[in-house]
Amino acid sequence: MSLETIILAAGKGTRIKSKLPKVLHKVGGKPMLQHVIDATKKAGSSREVVIIGAGAELVEKKISGVEFVLQKEQLGTGHAVLSAREKFETSEGIVLILCGDTPLLTAELLKKFVVAHEISNCAATVLTAEMPNPTGYGRVLHEADGTFQKIVEDKDATEEERKIREVNAGVYCFDVKKLFGALERVTNDNAQGEYYLPDVLPILKSDGEKIFTFAADYCDETIGINSREQLAAAERILRQRKTLELMNSGVTIEDPHTTFIDVDVTIGQDTIIKPNTYLEGNTTIGIECEIGPNIRFVNMKVGNRVTAQFSYCHDAEINNDVTLGPYVHIRPGTKIGDKVKIGNFVEVKNSNVGKGTKLPHLQYIGDSDVGENVNIGCGTVTCNYDGKTKYRTKIGDNVFVGCNTNFVAPVKVEEGAYIAAGSTITKDVPKNNLAIARARQTNIENWTDKRK
Ligand code: UD1
Ligand code: CA
């Protein structure tokens, strides 16, 4: 059966106190709304309609691959769903409804939930969870015979009802026709003056329909993020989940508590991650690497058997068998070839560094193409910028660059050339030439005696 989904993401997110729409706040390096969308798609949804309102333009800009519906005024979750009615005029079967602020939901749970609804033959199924601290959630009330009665919101609950720990996770399956048939009858006669989506359930019940509740095994998955405190709690759970998943796939993580790995990062078998390491965005790391301590990689493509410590690298590629660090900054557009040795105190930007080349200490390499097996001496700088334009430095294979060389770009050094230490290279150097570009030394005899 094809599965269509509505995701509610129009709310102001008052309690998170932010200019950024709540659903765009990131956990595990990804906006929480994106987590919900990804899980939904993975669970087999064929179409996602996202209800937007507060900060709608920004949400549309940051999120793709879904349909949007604007809820002009945020009058409650029931009103939000109603604003998508036109989009479901011709739909039949099941609609899955979720909130954009429950980023820990997994595709596995959603799949189980949808199957449970399908076989229940009910008009609606609600996902519930047993929360150790249920404050803020809607509580699930049952009839004396154990069947579903209604959901009462925290703000509307009596003291007795507030003690109930079975909560509404904000995830529902509905028969789409029956949902929209009943939704118009929801009123806003409650503590918040809002049209609550859960209020459609007792209405369906009064129509003679059956409502099913499906309990999640772990309450962790169903946490809703309303505050920064809950955001941090979700971050911690996601991080734990990610490190556990990696360890189970054959990655050593020496100290999961000080290792921060975004959800979309991939790491190969037998790689060791040392403490204080941050692997962010769409970083991929190969097999048998040793990463850390103190590494921050953002959107990095890293090969196999790379050793890296005490460094920050972003939006770049590092091939196999590279030794990196300590104290290296690799900036966007850089490609580091196989077996390169790089660090201490080296910055490389928008450059290609060929196989086997050594950049061992105190270099700035910017907008450069460095060949294979090049040895670059300590303190070498590419002078790539004249205040207006950036220029490239090209260094051929097997070049030897003496210490403290400046390359004033644009400049080209052909293969096999040799640059004397302390040179400022302003002209191209032909193949196999020696270039010396520094003032000759003069020694003045008895100078110190004369000074006295
Ligand atoms: C909601 C449920 C509550 C449940 C909890 C689970 C209602 C009335 N309450 O409460 O029973 O336990 O989720 O996390 O549904 N939204 C809109 N338009 C609106 C209002 C909200 O799109 O007019 C969106 C929000 O952006 C959010 C979601 O709906 O993603 C839930 O809204 P929120 O205000 O967070 O509801 P809760 O108070 O958490
Ligand atoms: Ca919420």
Side-chain angles (χ1 to χ4, degrees), residues 15 22 99 101-102 136-137 224-226:
R15 291 162 282 184
K22 178 173 77 173
C99 299
D101 66 349
T102 52
Y137 292 92
I225 313 298
N226 297 325

Side-chain angles (χ1 to χ4, degrees), residues 10-12 51-56 69-76 79-84 86:
K12 293 179 267 297
I51 316 293
I52 51 174
V69 166
L70 188 68
Q71 184 195 13
K72 286 199 196 82
E73 270 184 293
Q74 287 75 58
L75 303 179
H79 178 261
V81 174
L82 201 54
S83 60
E86 276 182 20

